[in-house]
Amino acid sequence: MEFLGSSGFHFHCIVSLFLLISAGFVVFPVSSIGINYGQIANNLPTPENVIPLVKSIGATKLKLYDADPKVLKAFANTGVEFIIGLGNEYLSKMSDPEKAQAWVKTNVQAYLPATKISCIFVGNEVLTFNDSSLSGCLLPAMEGIHTALVNLGLDKQVSVTTAHSLAVLETSYPPSSGAFRKDLVNCMKPILNFHAKTGSPFLINAYPYFAYKDSPKQIPLDFVLFQPNQGIVDSTSNLHYDNMLFAQIDAVYAALGSLGFKKLFIHISETGWPSKGDENEYGATPENAKKYNSNLIKLISSKKGTPMRPNCDLNIYVFALFNENMKPGPTSERNYGLFKPDGSPAYSLGISTTTATGGGNSTVPLQGPPANPDNSSSPPSSTGYLAISSASMERYSYRLIGPLMMVVLILINLVV
């Protein structure tokens, strides 16, 4: 099947859209969404074939867990904006100015300006590894990369940050009482000073799915899927929350404010819902994944902020673009994708957007290219994705909701 720009593809889009509408699937406009482009798989389409797939869903931002040269070259002159990752295994080396500058030259400068790289996230969920030697390398690595960008005249267009899990919070309910873990405050403050100085975003990975999976009888499904529900009220701020993700985001805002960093802005670097899971992974179904991600994309499109920050646009990266067949852990870990490796949708999720191949407003369902199977036993990414992708392990090894959701469980039960 020819995928790129053929009349046959447009015909199939129209037919598929008719089928989606006939089946009662939701079609809605999208302004801009971000997607995590993971590659722990040996059967994914080539980056060239991923481009029209990304554009078909209206995504204008991608987050890589490395600086894969094949991807960065393929997306040159597409207008897609990238966050790229520097793996945890490289942190100890980046305090060396020469090594940091060499990394930036090879992985950033070499692709600019054709490929739009706007941010580098240095390390993934480092502070919750409970590894003091790794944690101690984090800020020096961030500073080393930033200094390299300054020296190369790139610091105005490329920012530097790191991604955290919600496990950095000690208190998270009510959201207005959010606070960082006491044992992390001393290393968190200098990192926050770095963000304030350089103007870079604070990245957080947030998964309401895990709260529901762990307590499906206590947590109303509608509350985590952005469906109509009575919600909860923060007794301190009197703000009303009708979904868990917003409560999580505002708990982080409160934690930042408690340390004197109210002006920092947050990006949600990962959030998503699996379409398949093991027997004990409650809620991991195509129907729930569709509701979570479609409702989430609607919120992103509406430019609606959280109750605590109503005028701040949501900057959210959906996890993930593809199901990844080589990820470790339970079945859910291999089924977060919006797409299967052959480019077909993992579940029905139609959107209305402007296509890359035609002017005007054309509606394109999630339709992808044929897969390009790789017979090798290792994923194609070669620059540290396996090492940086600690989230794939931590998502099911720690309880990232903590005190927040235990209290939420009780309060929601009282109002539902």
Side-chain angles (χ1 to χ4, degrees), residues 271-349:
T271 191
W273 197 283
S275 59
K276 185 179 180 181
D278 295 322
E279 186 176 349
N280 64 341
E281 293 189 286
Y282 302 105
T285 67
E287 181 181 9
N288 289 339
K290 174 190 173 182
K291 288 179 180 178
Y292 185 86
N293 285 320
S294 64
N295 287 332
L296 174 64
I297 293 172
K298 287 180 184 178
L299 284 176
I300 297 171
S301 301
S302 70
K303 298 186 178 296
K304 173 186 176 183
T306 67
M308 195 177 290
R309 294 287 188 275
N311 297 319
C312 292
D313 287 351
L314 295 173
N315 288 282
I316 296 177
Y317 287 77
V318 177
F319 189 89
L321 188 58
F322 293 107
N323 287 337
E324 300 169 66
N325 68 338
M326 297 185 70
K327 295 189 73 174
T331 298
S332 63
E333 283 298 316
R334 293 173 290 282
N335 290 278
Y336 273 88
L338 298 178
F339 298 99
K340 298 176 183 178
D342 66 357
S344 63
Y347 42 86
S348 299
L349 182 66

Side-chain angles (χ1 to χ4, degrees), residues 231-253:
I232 60 172
V233 174
D234 184 321
S235 59
T236 301
S237 66
N238 204 36
L239 294 174
H240 178 264
Y241 291 87
D242 60 9
N243 70 79
M244 185 178 289
L245 182 63
F246 279 11
Q248 292 174 339
I249 295 172
D250 279 356
V252 178
Y253 271 123

Side-chain angles (χ1 to χ4, degrees), residues 8 102 112 187 225 251 258 313:
L112 295 173
C187 59
L225 295 181
S258 71
D313 287 351

